Amino acid sequence: MEKIHKSDAEWQALLTPEEYHVARQKGTERAFTGRYWNNTSPGIYRCVGCGTALFASDTKFDAGCGWPSYFEPLDPANVREERDTSHGMVRTEVLCNVCDSHLGHVFPDGPPPTGLRYCINSLSLKFEPAE
């Protein structure tokens, strides 16, 4: 897998200010405000930074948390997990493994078959509808 590296100026030119804040500065959008939290259309969710396919709509579920939630990534090699101790909590951060964009966090309270909940910011994603 070839990594994508860009300067902050290049990221700022590519992303909206809100996308940059979430994807590059590890921000979080407010719950129930993102463009995809309640999207039920079939398709693929791609990284806003590099277009890498991250999640399929058939793994998306309504977790009631206000963010798009998935029980597994499309290809586990496309996401990376890191320990996050920010904000006085211990969580597992999820990042795009190609461009290092912050996506959200993963929690062990999801549905079968994985029991995982990938809680992902809409601002970190671009939706590609199925044809």
Side-chain angles (χ1 to χ4, degrees):
M1 173 176 310
E2 190 170 329
K3 297 287 274 188
I4 292 175
H5 302 280
K6 295 181 187 284
S7 68
D8 273 344
E10 289 173 310
W11 285 119
Q12 288 174 336
L14 175 71
L15 304 170
T16 68
E18 295 82 9
E19 290 169 344
Y20 178 82
H21 174 67
V22 171
R24 306 312 304 174
Q25 297 179 315
K26 302 180 187 270
T28 301
E29 65 197 12
R30 288 182 311 140
F32 303 102
T33 65
R35 55 190 170 217
Y36 305 127
W37 74 270
N38 63 349
N39 182 29
T40 58
S41 300
I44 301 294
Y45 294 86
R46 296 182 174 275
C47 176
V48 72
C50 66
T52 297
L54 299 173
F55 300 97
S57 60
D58 61 357
T59 65
K60 189 173 188 282
F61 67 99
D62 183 1
C65 64
W67 289 276
S69 297
Y70 311 86
F71 60 79
E72 69 183 351
L74 192 62
D75 181 345
N78 290 346
V79 298
R80 186 175 79 253
E81 297 178 8
E82 291 185 359
R83 182 180 165 98
D84 176 3
T85 58
S86 65
H87 307 292
M89 297 179 265
V90 177
R91 301 177 290 176
T92 303
E93 179 184 10
V94 180
L95 301 110
C96 173
N97 202 30
V98 176
C99 72
D100 297 327
S101 285
H102 169 76
L103 303 174
H105 293 86
V106 62
F107 301 96
D109 60 0
T114 65
L116 299 174
R117 173 174 54 100
Y118 288 84
C119 185
I120 307 298
N121 290 284
S122 289
L123 287 166
S124 295
L125 302 171
K126 289 287 186 190
F127 180 67
E128 180 182 299
E131 296 181 7

